[in-house]
Structures are given as C-alpha cells and as structure tokens.
Amino acid sequence: MADNLPSDFDVIVIGTGLPESIIAAACSRSGQRVLHVDSRSYYGGNWASFSFSGLLSWLKEYQENNDVVTENSMWQEQILENEEAIPLSSKDKTIQHVEVFCYASQDLHKDVEEAGALQKNHASVTSAQSAEAAEAAETSCLPTAVEPLSMGSCEIPAEQSQCPGPESSPEVNDAEATGKKENSDAKSSTEEPSENVPKVQDNTETPKKNRITYSQIIKEGRRFNIDLVSKLLYSRGLLIDLLIKSNVSRYAEFKNITRILAFREGTVEQVPCSRADVFNSKQLTMVEKRMLMKFLTFCVEYEEHPDEYRAYEGTTFSEYLKTQKLTPNLQYFVLHSIAMTSETTSCTVDGLKATKKFLQCLGRYGNTPFLFPLYGQGELPQCFCRMCAVFGGIYCLRHSVQCLVVDKESRKCKAVIDQFGQRIISKHFIIEDSYLSENTCSRVQYRQISRAVLITDGSVLKTDADQQVSILTVPAEEPGSFAVRVIELCSSTMTCMKGTYLVHLTCMSSKTAREDLERVVQKLFTPYTEIEAENEQVEKPRLLWALYFNMRDSSDISRDCYNDLPSNVYVCSGPDSGLGNDNAVKQAETLFQQICPNEDFCPAPPNPEDIVLDGDSSQQEVPESSVTPETNSETPKESTVLGNPEEPSE
C-alpha cells in the first residue's frame, strides 16, 4: 500500500479518534489534501466499539502489545544532516489494570461459534469448574467468577472485521424513512471506514431468562457493540449541532435516553425532569412539585438574576441548594440526577450552569436531554471519516508512522517516515496523544478514568417496558472518591443481544478501576450462580460478565507540557471523563482554525444538483449521493432522525 501512497499532502492525521476524525473531515471539506492513518486495525482508537469477540481480541492484542517490543531502524537512514527525528511510540500505554470476570454458566463447547463471523477459529476451552481447569490454565479462554483473566494465556475467537461494529455504520437519510444503513463506497479512500460484512438475520429466539450462558454470549457476539468510552449526546450540545450543520447526521441514527434514574437509600428510582414528568410523578407531593418547578424555572434564567446567587458564588452547589427551600428529596434529585455535579467540589455557578444545560436540552428529540448513537459511540468517528473520504481523504489502517522529520533551521516538521521507510511530506501534522513517545511526554501528568463494562440479564429498575435506556449517578461515599456514572443500554440500541443489558460504569480514577467501581456493581447487581438461576424472586439483576480497566485521560493537557514539539504539529487528546462530547468538538474546531484560519468549520456539503464540473476535468468531485445505503431490517423504527435545529424531531 505504501508504494501507492502519494508522497505529498497538506495535512497528515495520525489516529482515528473522534477529535482527529472531525479535523480530518473539516480539512478535507475545505479542500485540503488529507492522509489519515492509524497503526490499529480498527477505527476510533479509544473511542471505538467492538463486538464481544472483537473486544476479547482487542484485550489479547493489548497484552501482546505490552509484552513485545519491536524496533524498526529503517527510518534512521532517511534522516538528512540538516534534519532531526522525533520518534513516535509503537506501544499503546493508555489502558491499564485490565481485569475480566465471567459469572455466566461456562458451558462453552468446541462447536460453538459466533454467528455471522467471517473466519472460524474455535477456542480450546475447558470447564472452569472442573478439576482439569487448573492444569489447563494456560490454554483456557474463560476466567472464573473470582479470578481475573490472564490476558497472555488465553485463546480468543478471532474477528477479522476492520470496523468496530458488527456491520457498516448506520445512516440517516433525510429524504427517506429511517431503518437504513450505509454501504460506504467512497472511491477516494484506499480503505473504507467500515467493512461490508454479511448481515445476521434476527432468527434466533430470545434466550430464556435465568439461563443465559457464556455459549449464547459467544454465539450472539456480533449483537454486541461495546464502547471503550461511555458517553451520551446532549440534544443541544456541540456535537449534535455539528452533525446537523455538516450533514454527517445522515451517516448515523440515534435513540433517546428514556429514563433519568437516582440511587438513594439503597434503591433505584426514576427522576421526574420534564414538566410533564414532574406533574405526573407519584414520588413528589404537590408542594414539592411547585418547589421544583419554581427552582428549575429560575435555573433557566439564572444569569438574568445575579442577585439571587451572587452571595453563594464561593460555596458549593450542594450548600446553595439547602438555601432554596427545597426538600432533601428535591436537593438530591437536582444535585445528582439533573446537574450531575459533585457534592463537595462543584461551585454554585457550575451547578446552575449544568442545570440550565440539562433543562435547555429537554424536549428537542424526546423527554430527556440525551441521545445515544445506535451501534455505539464508535460509530461517530467513522461518520466523520466517511465525510473526509467523500471529499478526497485517503485512509490507511494498520499503517504506523515511525517518526516525525523536523528541519533543524526552521524547527518545523516537514515529513513523516512510515513503517515501510517511505517519506511523506506535509504542511500540517495532527497526532493523537498516545502516539507520542515517553521522551516527548516526560513532563505530562495524566489523569485516569476508571471503566467497567457489564453484561446483565435485567434492568436496574424493572418496568412494564423492557426496552429502556437509562442513566444513573451513584454519589461518592468516601473522601477522595468520585461519583460513578452508570449508563444502561437495552438491545434496541443495537449494542447487546436480546434478553440482556449492556451496562457502562465510569468515574475519575482514585485507584484501579475494579477498586473504584466494584462497590457500585455490588450495590446494583448480584453475580449469576446456578443456584440463583432457579430462584425467580431475585431482586437485583444478575451479572453475567464484567470487564474493568483504567483509561488515560489526556484532556486539558497544555501544549507547553510536551517537549520540543514543532509549531505545525498539533496534539489531540483521547476521551475525557465527561458525559458529553463538547471537549472533542471544541478541540477539533480550535485546531482546525489554526490550520485553516479563514475557512468555515465543517460546512454542509453542496447539493449534488448544484455542483458545476469542468468539462475538461478528468477528476470529478464525489458527491455524497454516490454513497448508496441499503435497507437494514434490524434498525429500530423508533430511532431518532436529527433534523433542523429549529424544528425539534418527535
């Protein structure tokens, strides 16, 4: 592939995370020649989504990447006397403290395979409960319920699909009904953002409750789309506005978050947040309803009444709420489920600002402020990669860059040298933080994010409707710990198999992910056992499978912290711990304005009918209409179409 790559670009982007993908799309849309590369075999970096077997393969690759040190000195021969090189890292060190637990019945047999998999590669597995399990520890794929997975010693069913999800990214077409997915064929890309793979028809029966086994999870592995980072989209947030403005929204579909939950006094309950919810709530007295509506109305207009809160600017939002004639019940709801701020560290102004943002997002696309992309968060970077490819961007996965080449006199980066020793020249270079070497980042102090991914057999709050998408905040209990955000996804989000829920837990790290999050897991779920499987009266949903890991948070790192970066090299951060995606969008727009100061940021593509082509031109611009969607019967009909910002959908 390197032999076919052009050797001169305007912008080279290294890494396919969300900020990098947005910048690549914006630059390509403005007419820049863009090369977008990633050493990984999938799009999204730490923003990616995986099928179940894909996630296990990712874990295995991560372990192998840490164990094997590869050195390539080919690039050193390419450096001239008036140049110097900045080596890039060949190892991804953004993931730590990985622990995997399997609680479901471990009855995996040799003939069990993932439905719809492209390649058969059966794992050799023995029963975790047999006496032979200890002797076969080096080849066993399954951990026991009390022992974390040893990543270096397991054989995992392989998945060769390049895209993080089980199928190509879903598409929303404004001219047609929802329920379609894109079969991307942008000819200007050397490798497509999503690989077209055979579709799996939904002809399996819903697994019997209380009898979900590890075999079923493996077999239905392509029903799962497991995000490495757990986020939601505010309906009036920067990312939604960008998706609409750029028309990238046609490449994805979204589902409303249906419930805001609270965890109080050991129980989970639903929080009324919209006007209709408040007045229909049976949890609140009539007096509380009036109190809450009066306070929420003030929060929307708080900036117009500074005298109401100015005296409390130096106090926490929690203390301020105690002065507002709100009952303890209402104070808890506002603090933890609406503002979603810290009880001990968030000031009054930050709390009012968060509450206002929450309230302004209500009603645009549904009864809550949030949307979730079908097939997972990993679809979003691919959507912008697709836009970049449509306008001429070139993509290369599994293509590593060995070093940056810097001119000694001008102190600017002039080229990169890839794994094949090819020198590729460019004017600007965008690089994701994880690709920088330890020498470059020696003065950087990183924070960490604690993450847990759970597969459960039921919802944390059972209702008559089983297809609920919920967000829950569990407050911190100990000094120095942080509140835990819980997002529970049902099968209609296309992220898990029927009969299960996919649960994401996230918080800022104070210890390892398991130490930070296990207490919350134990409060909300009970581990699956064969004995409990016979008991229909289990109060908590059962935990079938769990993954814990820590992820590096490189957001808010000042450029000055990096050593000797040339002025035309720009660094993008990985995911932050926040709920929304505003940080990624702000970062992308800021860097784009430095590269193209007089250009519009991701404007809408031209109407194909309005494009005037030069009759003598041999190369024609590829209109977006050339990307032909195909019908997908699996896409839920109730998914949300992003429409005109002034005309709320639904």
PDB file of all heavy atoms in Angstrom, residues 443-456:
ATOM      1  N   ARG A 443       7.113  15.358  30.852  1.00  0.00           N
ATOM      2  CA  ARG A 443       6.638  16.340  31.834  1.00  0.00           C
ATOM      3  C   ARG A 443       5.113  16.360  31.962  1.00  0.00           C
ATOM      4  O   ARG A 443       4.555  17.175  32.694  1.00  0.00           O
ATOM      5  CB  ARG A 443       7.129  17.740  31.450  1.00  0.00           C
ATOM      6  CG  ARG A 443       8.637  17.887  31.485  1.00  0.00           C
ATOM      7  CD  ARG A 443       9.086  19.312  31.234  1.00  0.00           C
ATOM      8  NE  ARG A 443       8.772  19.731  29.862  1.00  0.00           N
ATOM      9  CZ  ARG A 443       7.963  20.753  29.569  1.00  0.00           C
ATOM     10  NH1 ARG A 443       7.375  21.431  30.531  1.00  0.00           N
ATOM     11  NH2 ARG A 443       7.734  21.079  28.306  1.00  0.00           N
ATOM     12  N   VAL A 444       4.446  15.449  31.255  1.00  0.00           N
ATOM     13  CA  VAL A 444       2.981  15.432  31.267  1.00  0.00           C
ATOM     14  C   VAL A 444       2.476  14.601  32.444  1.00  0.00           C
ATOM     15  O   VAL A 444       2.944  13.489  32.683  1.00  0.00           O
ATOM     16  CB  VAL A 444       2.432  14.857  29.940  1.00  0.00           C
ATOM     17  CG1 VAL A 444       0.911  14.791  29.988  1.00  0.00           C
ATOM     18  CG2 VAL A 444       2.890  15.704  28.762  1.00  0.00           C
ATOM     19  N   GLN A 445       1.520  15.157  33.187  1.00  0.00           N
ATOM     20  CA  GLN A 445       0.881  14.441  34.281  1.00  0.00           C
ATOM     21  C   GLN A 445      -0.536  14.055  33.849  1.00  0.00           C
ATOM     22  O   GLN A 445      -1.409  14.898  33.717  1.00  0.00           O
ATOM     23  CB  GLN A 445       0.820  15.322  35.533  1.00  0.00           C
ATOM     24  CG  GLN A 445       2.188  15.695  36.094  1.00  0.00           C
ATOM     25  CD  GLN A 445       2.944  14.493  36.625  1.00  0.00           C
ATOM     26  OE1 GLN A 445       2.341  13.585  37.213  1.00  0.00           O
ATOM     27  NE2 GLN A 445       4.256  14.475  36.430  1.00  0.00           N
ATOM     28  N   TYR A 446      -0.750  12.773  33.606  1.00  0.00           N
ATOM     29  CA  TYR A 446      -2.035  12.297  33.112  1.00  0.00           C
ATOM     30  C   TYR A 446      -2.965  11.926  34.265  1.00  0.00           C
ATOM     31  O   TYR A 446      -2.530  11.423  35.300  1.00  0.00           O
ATOM     32  CB  TYR A 446      -1.859  11.068  32.228  1.00  0.00           C
ATOM     33  CG  TYR A 446      -1.161  11.341  30.915  1.00  0.00           C
ATOM     34  CD1 TYR A 446       0.129  10.865  30.690  1.00  0.00           C
ATOM     35  CD2 TYR A 446      -1.786  12.052  29.902  1.00  0.00           C
ATOM     36  CE1 TYR A 446       0.777  11.099  29.489  1.00  0.00           C
ATOM     37  CE2 TYR A 446      -1.154  12.293  28.696  1.00  0.00           C
ATOM     38  CZ  TYR A 446       0.134  11.811  28.500  1.00  0.00           C
ATOM     39  OH  TYR A 446       0.764  12.056  27.297  1.00  0.00           O
ATOM     40  N   ARG A 447      -4.240  12.170  34.062  1.00  0.00           N
ATOM     41  CA  ARG A 447      -5.266  11.614  34.938  1.00  0.00           C
ATOM     42  C   ARG A 447      -5.712  10.274  34.355  1.00  0.00           C
ATOM     43  O   ARG A 447      -5.356   9.923  33.242  1.00  0.00           O
ATOM     44  CB  ARG A 447      -6.448  12.569  35.045  1.00  0.00           C
ATOM     45  CG  ARG A 447      -6.117  13.891  35.723  1.00  0.00           C
ATOM     46  CD  ARG A 447      -7.272  14.860  35.656  1.00  0.00           C
ATOM     47  NE  ARG A 447      -7.600  15.231  34.292  1.00  0.00           N
ATOM     48  CZ  ARG A 447      -8.486  16.166  33.952  1.00  0.00           C
ATOM     49  NH1 ARG A 447      -9.136  16.809  34.893  1.00  0.00           N
ATOM     50  NH2 ARG A 447      -8.725  16.442  32.689  1.00  0.00           N
ATOM     51  N   GLN A 448      -6.523   9.550  35.116  1.00  0.00           N
ATOM     52  CA  GLN A 448      -7.012   8.254  34.668  1.00  0.00           C
ATOM     53  C   GLN A 448      -8.532   8.191  34.813  1.00  0.00           C
ATOM     54  O   GLN A 448      -9.121   8.856  35.666  1.00  0.00           O
ATOM     55  CB  GLN A 448      -6.379   7.113  35.471  1.00  0.00           C
ATOM     56  CG  GLN A 448      -4.878   6.981  35.299  1.00  0.00           C
ATOM     57  CD  GLN A 448      -4.479   6.462  33.938  1.00  0.00           C
ATOM     58  OE1 GLN A 448      -5.167   5.626  33.357  1.00  0.00           O
ATOM     59  NE2 GLN A 448      -3.358   6.951  33.411  1.00  0.00           N
ATOM     60  N   ILE A 449      -9.155   7.399  33.966  1.00  0.00           N
ATOM     61  CA  ILE A 449     -10.591   7.148  34.013  1.00  0.00           C
ATOM     62  C   ILE A 449     -10.792   5.680  34.382  1.00  0.00           C
ATOM     63  O   ILE A 449     -10.142   4.798  33.814  1.00  0.00           O
ATOM     64  CB  ILE A 449     -11.258   7.434  32.656  1.00  0.00           C
ATOM     65  CG1 ILE A 449     -11.000   8.871  32.214  1.00  0.00           C
ATOM     66  CG2 ILE A 449     -12.759   7.158  32.713  1.00  0.00           C
ATOM     67  CD1 ILE A 449     -11.412   9.145  30.767  1.00  0.00           C
ATOM     68  N   SER A 450     -11.652   5.435  35.333  1.00  0.00           N
ATOM     69  CA  SER A 450     -11.993   4.050  35.701  1.00  0.00           C
ATOM     70  C   SER A 450     -13.237   3.631  34.926  1.00  0.00           C
ATOM     71  O   SER A 450     -14.251   4.333  34.944  1.00  0.00           O
ATOM     72  CB  SER A 450     -12.252   3.926  37.203  1.00  0.00           C
ATOM     73  OG  SER A 450     -11.060   4.090  37.928  1.00  0.00           O
ATOM     74  N   ARG A 451     -13.153   2.474  34.266  1.00  0.00           N
ATOM     75  CA  ARG A 451     -14.247   1.999  33.427  1.00  0.00           C
ATOM     76  C   ARG A 451     -14.615   0.565  33.790  1.00  0.00           C
ATOM     77  O   ARG A 451     -13.750  -0.247  34.146  1.00  0.00           O
ATOM     78  CB  ARG A 451     -13.847   2.044  31.945  1.00  0.00           C
ATOM     79  CG  ARG A 451     -13.736   3.430  31.388  1.00  0.00           C
ATOM     80  CD  ARG A 451     -15.110   3.972  30.965  1.00  0.00           C
ATOM     81  NE  ARG A 451     -15.591   3.218  29.791  1.00  0.00           N
ATOM     82  CZ  ARG A 451     -16.656   2.423  29.803  1.00  0.00           C
ATOM     83  NH1 ARG A 451     -17.352   2.238  30.902  1.00  0.00           N
ATOM     84  NH2 ARG A 451     -17.036   1.807  28.694  1.00  0.00           N
ATOM     85  N   ALA A 452     -15.891   0.283  33.691  1.00  0.00           N
ATOM     86  CA  ALA A 452     -16.369  -1.094  33.813  1.00  0.00           C
ATOM     87  C   ALA A 452     -17.435  -1.321  32.752  1.00  0.00           C
ATOM     88  O   ALA A 452     -18.233  -0.417  32.457  1.00  0.00           O
ATOM     89  CB  ALA A 452     -16.947  -1.354  35.199  1.00  0.00           C
ATOM     90  N   VAL A 453     -17.423  -2.487  32.147  1.00  0.00           N
ATOM     91  CA  VAL A 453     -18.435  -2.902  31.176  1.00  0.00           C
ATOM     92  C   VAL A 453     -19.055  -4.190  31.687  1.00  0.00           C
ATOM     93  O   VAL A 453     -18.346  -5.166  31.958  1.00  0.00           O
ATOM     94  CB  VAL A 453     -17.823  -3.130  29.779  1.00  0.00           C
ATOM     95  CG1 VAL A 453     -18.904  -3.575  28.800  1.00  0.00           C
ATOM     96  CG2 VAL A 453     -17.134  -1.867  29.276  1.00  0.00           C
ATOM     97  N   LEU A 454     -20.376  -4.189  31.838  1.00  0.00           N
ATOM     98  CA  LEU A 454     -21.081  -5.343  32.385  1.00  0.00           C
ATOM     99  C   LEU A 454     -22.118  -5.850  31.395  1.00  0.00           C
ATOM    100  O   LEU A 454     -22.736  -5.063  30.674  1.00  0.00           O
ATOM    101  CB  LEU A 454     -21.796  -4.967  33.692  1.00  0.00           C
ATOM    102  CG  LEU A 454     -21.035  -4.144  34.729  1.00  0.00           C
ATOM    103  CD1 LEU A 454     -21.947  -3.811  35.894  1.00  0.00           C
ATOM    104  CD2 LEU A 454     -19.796  -4.883  35.201  1.00  0.00           C
ATOM    105  N   ILE A 455     -22.310  -7.156  31.384  1.00  0.00           N
ATOM    106  CA  ILE A 455     -23.447  -7.765  30.692  1.00  0.00           C
ATOM    107  C   ILE A 455     -24.340  -8.357  31.774  1.00  0.00           C
ATOM    108  O   ILE A 455     -23.891  -9.175  32.590  1.00  0.00           O
ATOM    109  CB  ILE A 455     -22.995  -8.853  29.704  1.00  0.00           C
ATOM    110  CG1 ILE A 455     -22.073  -8.255  28.638  1.00  0.00           C
ATOM    111  CG2 ILE A 455     -24.208  -9.501  29.035  1.00  0.00           C
ATOM    112  CD1 ILE A 455     -21.492  -9.285  27.678  1.00  0.00           C
ATOM    113  N   THR A 456     -25.604  -7.931  31.814  1.00  0.00           N
ATOM    114  CA  THR A 456     -26.535  -8.368  32.854  1.00  0.00           C
ATOM    115  C   THR A 456     -27.784  -8.967  32.206  1.00  0.00           C
ATOM    116  O   THR A 456     -28.010  -8.817  31.002  1.00  0.00           O
ATOM    117  CB  THR A 456     -26.943  -7.192  33.759  1.00  0.00           C
ATOM    118  OG1 THR A 456     -27.769  -6.277  33.022  1.00  0.00           O
ATOM    119  CG2 THR A 456     -25.718  -6.458  34.270  1.00  0.00           C
TER     120      THR A 456
END
